[in-house]
Amino acid sequence: MADQTTSELNALFAGPPETELPADIMGELQSMLRLHGIPPQELFYKWESYSMKMGSDDTKLDLPTVRAFKKDIQENLERELRGKPHARNVEMRGATGATPRKHNSNADVFGVLDGLVPSTPKPGSTSRVNGSSNKRRAGPETPMSGADQSSSTSSARRTPLQPPSGSTNGLRSSSFADRPNPGQILETLNGQIESPEPPIAPSAEPRVKLMANTDLKKFSYRPMAMHLSEASEVLDDRIDEFAALIQAHHSLPDTAFGNPASQSTNEIIAVGRIASDQLDSKLNAASLVLETSRRMGAGLRIPLRVDSVPAFEFFPGQIVALKGVNASGDYFSVNEILEVPLLPVPASNPATLDLHIERLNGGPDVMHDGDAAPLNLLLGSGPYTADDSLDFEPFHALCKEASDKFVDVLILTGPLLDLEHPLVATGDFDLPSDLDIDPDTVNLTTVFRHLIAAPLRQLAEAVPSITIIIIPSVRDAISKHVSWPQEPLPRKELGLPKQARLVSNPVTISLNEMIIGVSALDALSELRQEEVIGPNPKTPNMLARLPRYLLEQRHFYPLFPPVSRERLPKTGVDSGLATGAMLEPSYLKLGEWLNVRPDILITPSALPCFIKVVESVLVVNPGHLSKRKAAGTYGRLTVFPPKASADERAESKMVGHKVFERARVDIIKI
């Protein structure tokens, strides 16, 4: 047993080219396993969460780091134990009266004393977002004590948008200006393609034609109004649709399919959804069950035995086709896993490609020599500021980069104003004193207009031809649509420039000839947490295997049910609970891919940033622009114009886009 644990720890924690951990590090890891009674896989998940929290891409597994990791786990455990009785006491006190604020707060709990008692205004004129502004109070100034004067002076020196002391759960990020290696390229695809020099001036007209391949109106449904019958029909229909696809792809007769829950010695093909027999535990090979549709198996679940299968890759919600028998009636023994067909690759005819090349050149009336200049895109994913401030310095740096390089397209995925940001969650921060704002009307829309929309307006003035695409997140504080799939952000009162295009989450768009799929929901890290793989997986590389799940299942988020909030990495808010996926099962069909797979799939994730070509799809995880207490990364794409051969033009053949061959992609530190 000890040897098995050691081998598992080596497999999980030993980074290449090393295959074994040093003895001292192995001893510390084994000590943590014994102390907390957890398996190696769960310890590895905690290590990934700790690495993300520290905000360092190069966190090394050395002895000091392991001991700090061990201390962090112990502190989290102690904090949880202390918080349980505290939560009960707060609940009991809440029955008789409101919980008072901290001692250093100048406002009453609900603002009932506003205008009734004199207030102590702070030096400088700042607007409090939580509504306790000094501008609307006209009472006489109260003399300050020495402690009050010290506190007020400290507050006056504080940089605008900085939090009061102790309001960020102990996080202290280093100065953004002192970040190491800004502009460093971390990963590149097609490095042999030289990055061209930026143009000397922006284009007179937009060089892209943007079209949403998704009916955005369908996303404006009423959230939190789910009927169980509707949800079950959607889940059932998905199984039946895949059964028809698999039957056509493998040319199978109707008699080849059967009910896996019925006892029979005949080999059949069963199509269903992978699920677990335990709702509160991670999926494993022993807990696999197959959930059938009402048409194919009366909606029954049957345990699976996969001992005879040399390789498998499963996750909850995955639609699979399995060949096997149920001789005993107790379980379905799998002999073979049938391949699920992929959607076709996108293609265009030569005449359509010529129109897009003409647009890249500036239009039919523009004279040009040689090939058209490549299309330049920047990819940014929220959060856009560190946990201890709302200065949005990384966001300003990204907008400056787009302005300096005169980029054609800027794609921003939420969250823009993050619900999980400690300061946004509490509302306890100051807006800059130079803003002309009525304190009585300050709300989150006002904050967004001044902190997010203002830099975008400046960018649009500098580069009028730019196209800014904004995809919301369920963590966006200004979005009233709390479910995924999610409608676009409301443009009204946000103060965004006309170049900004607000789309849904997820969305499939066309940029000239390219088909681009984008989702702000982190499906990859949740798939990584929930998947169970056999000893010889078909795709050993994790970062290539996870996007393949999306391609095979033809969906932006094929996982069902989603990972519970308690099992997601802790956030900076007081409760520590993440927002989670917030799925609306009745409308999951809005997350499907319908006709073709995308040329480019943008999947922002907490996993390490990466660029992969999977089944002719260019998959990009640009990383988060800002981590909790460190600067993050963004993506840059340089896409050269498509070309059609003489034979393809003569015969008007459809030409595959093959963006992965003609695009240079870089992941860059902001």
Side-chain angles (χ1 to χ4, degrees):
M1 184 65 182
D3 293 338
Q4 181 180 356
T5 302
T6 301
S7 61
E8 288 183 23
L9 289 173
N10 282 325
L12 291 168
F13 288 87
E18 302 295 334
T19 58
E20 293 185 358
L21 295 171
D24 51 357
I25 295 179
M26 178 64 72
E28 292 289 349
L29 295 177
Q30 291 175 339
S31 172
M32 283 185 269
L33 295 181
R34 292 191 299 270
L35 183 62
H36 300 286
I38 57 177
Q41 186 72 55
E42 186 174 348
L43 182 65
F44 181 68
Y45 288 144
K46 291 182 181 294
W47 166 251
E48 286 184 326
S49 177
Y50 176 76
S51 298
M52 286 186 282
K53 181 177 74 173
M54 296 307 294
S56 176
D57 293 327
D58 54 354
T59 303
K60 295 182 179 179
L61 192 68
D62 52 20
L63 189 58
T65 306
V66 170
R67 287 175 175 169
F69 171 48
K70 183 177 182 180
K71 182 180 179 182
D72 183 79
I73 293 179
Q74 186 65 29
E75 289 177 349
N76 287 337
L77 179 62
E78 293 175 355
R79 192 179 301 114
E80 291 177 4
L81 293 176
R82 288 196 303 267
K84 289 179 180 179
H86 172 71
R88 288 195 294 269
N89 293 337
V90 169
E91 185 176 357
M92 293 173 62
R93 292 197 300 270
T96 57
T99 304
R101 286 195 178 187
K102 294 180 180 179
H103 176 71
N104 61 359
S105 177
N106 290 329
D108 63 299
V109 179
F110 299 109
V112 295
L113 301 180
D114 284 354
L116 301 180
V117 296
S119 61
T120 306
K122 293 181 181 180
S125 178
T126 58
S127 301
R128 298 288 293 188
V129 175
N130 61 6
S132 58
S133 170
N134 295 322
K135 287 185 178 180
R136 65 169 179 261
R137 297 181 181 147
E141 182 174 342
T142 304
M144 292 185 180
S145 66
D148 290 337
Q149 290 177 0
S150 175
S151 174
S152 179
T153 304
S154 175
S155 175
R157 292 197 198 103
R158 194 171 64 235
T159 304
L161 308 180
Q162 295 296 320
S165 177
S167 63
T168 56
N169 296 331
L171 282 175
R172 288 292 179 269
S173 66
S174 58
S175 171
F176 181 77
D178 298 332
R179 65 195 185 280
N181 305 320
Q184 178 186 3
I185 297 178
L186 300 180
E187 190 164 348
T188 299
L189 177 73
N190 294 331
Q192 74 279 4
I193 301 177
E194 293 291 335
S195 296
E197 292 294 325
I200 58 176
S203 173
E205 297 292 335
R207 300 176 67 229
V208 296
K209 179 183 179 181
L210 172 64
M211 183 175 64
N213 298 342
T214 307
D215 188 354
L216 300 182
K217 294 182 180 179
K218 292 183 178 180
F219 287 80
S220 298
Y221 60 87
R222 181 183 176 188
M224 301 177 67
M226 180 181 67
H227 298 285
L228 291 179
S229 58
E230 294 178 359
S232 64
E233 287 176 5
V234 170
L235 297 175
D236 257 16
D237 291 346
R238 183 163 169 80
I239 296 176
D240 295 339
E241 290 168 3
F242 267 75
L245 290 172
I246 291 165
Q247 182 176 6
H249 179 71
H250 294 279
S251 302
L252 299 170
D254 292 341
T255 55
F257 296 86
N259 181 1
S262 299
Q263 182 178 1
S264 174
T265 56
N266 296 327
E267 189 176 62
I268 63 168
I269 295 174
V271 180
R273 177 179 290 104
I274 293 294
S276 174
D277 61 2
Q278 300 290 332
L279 291 178
D280 55 351
S281 63
K282 185 182 181 298
L283 186 70
N284 56 65
S287 65
L288 286 170
V289 298
L290 186 70
E291 179 182 280
T292 61
S293 68
R294 283 173 287 193
R295 184 177 71 85
M296 302 190 68
L300 297 175
R301 287 185 170 190
I302 184 71
L304 296 178
R305 293 283 181 87
V306 292
D307 303 336
S308 303
V309 181
F312 60 85
E313 301 165 352
F314 293 139
F315 61 88
Q318 182 182 16
I319 309 298
V320 295
L322 308 175
K323 182 183 289 187
V325 296
N326 183 359
S328 65
D330 296 328
Y331 60 87
F332 187 74
S333 180
V334 182
N335 300 324
E336 182 184 353
I337 303 174
L338 273 66
E339 182 185 43
V340 177
L342 300 176
L343 285 167
V345 295
S348 302
N349 59 54
T352 303
L353 295 180
D354 289 341
L355 290 176
H356 294 312
I357 295 174
E358 190 177 85
R359 184 175 293 105
L360 290 177
N361 283 320
D365 301 328
V366 177
M367 299 295 294
H368 58 87
D369 297 326
D371 295 334
L375 200 64
N376 297 304
L377 300 88
L378 291 186
L379 314 177
S381 174
Y384 292 94
T385 188
D387 269 10
D388 66 345
S389 79
L390 287 176
D391 288 331
F392 284 89
E393 290 177 300
F395 183 64
H396 285 270
L398 181 66
C399 291
K400 185 178 186 303
E401 177 72 11
S403 175
D404 292 344
K405 298 295 177 61
F406 300 120
V407 301
D408 299 296
V409 181
L410 173 63
I411 299 179
L412 302 174
T413 60
L416 297 163
L417 203 57
D418 191 2
L419 279 172
E420 296 181 3
H421 193 288
L423 304 183
V424 175
T426 60
D428 193 12
F429 59 90
D430 298 333
L431 288 175
S433 58
D434 57 348
L435 297 180
D436 185 16
I437 303 175
D438 181 2
D440 294 322
T441 63
V442 171
N443 54 26
L444 287 175
T445 302
T446 310
V447 176
F448 180 93
R449 190 164 58 245
H450 290 283
L451 301 186
I452 303 294
L456 293 180
R457 290 195 300 269
Q458 294 174 3
L459 171 61
E461 291 175 2
V463 190
S465 60
I466 194 173
T467 299
I468 304 171
I469 303 172
I470 300 177
I471 299 95
S473 165
V474 292
R475 287 166 50 183
D476 267 306
I478 60 169
S479 176
K480 296 181 181 179
H481 201 274
V482 297
S483 303
W484 190 96
Q486 183 182 14
E487 71 177 359
L489 293 175
R491 177 179 285 274
K492 186 179 180 181
E493 298 181 355
L494 292 185
L496 291 167
K498 64 179 182 179
Q499 289 87 343
R501 301 290 185 266
L502 304 179
V503 296
S504 59
N505 173 30
V507 68
T508 303
I509 57 177
S510 294
L511 279 180
N512 292 350
E513 82 285 355
M514 297 183 295
I515 307 296
I516 302 179
V518 192
S519 176
L521 188 58
D522 188 355
L524 298 186
S525 63
E526 294 192 23
L527 284 169
R528 171 69 181 91
Q529 187 171 345
E530 291 296 302
E531 70 169 346
V532 55
I533 58 177
N536 299 302
K538 182 171 62 175
T539 311
N541 186 292
M542 178 192 69
L543 297 181
R545 183 175 64 248
L546 298 178
R548 186 179 174 83
Y549 290 148
L550 308 186
L551 301 178
E552 289 180 345
Q553 298 295 299
R554 308 179 177 199
H555 204 281
F556 283 103
Y557 189 87
L559 189 67
F560 189 85
V563 180
S564 65
R565 298 173 65 192
E566 291 76 12
R567 295 176 55 201
L568 293 172
K570 299 299 182 183
T571 66
V573 299
D574 290 340
S575 66
L577 282 179
T579 304
M582 309 294 287
L583 294 189
E584 191 78 30
S586 300
Y587 293 90
L588 285 180
K589 197 169 183 64
L590 295 176
E592 291 183 354
W593 303 341
L594 300 179
N595 301 317
V596 295
R597 63 188 105 154
D599 290 305
I600 302 173
L601 178 60
I602 302 173
T603 59
S605 173
L607 295 174
C609 51
F610 66 87
I611 311 163
K612 294 289 181 184
V613 178
V614 183
E615 298 293 344
S616 301
V617 177
L618 177 56
V619 184
V620 183
N621 169 22
H624 300 308
L625 193 67
S626 178
K627 300 182 181 181
R628 291 188 60 186
K629 61 172 189 174
T633 56
Y634 68 96
R636 182 178 64 200
L637 281 76
T638 305
V639 185
F640 286 79
K643 293 182 180 180
S645 66
D647 293 339
E648 291 170 334
R649 291 183 178 277
E651 300 178 13
S652 296
K653 289 182 177 180
M654 299 297 287
V655 181
H657 296 164
K658 297 182 180 179
V659 175
F660 62 91
E661 292 182 351
R662 55 187 174 92
R664 176 188 171 113
V665 188
D666 300 303
I667 303 296
I668 308 171
K669 283 188 174 183
I670 189 63

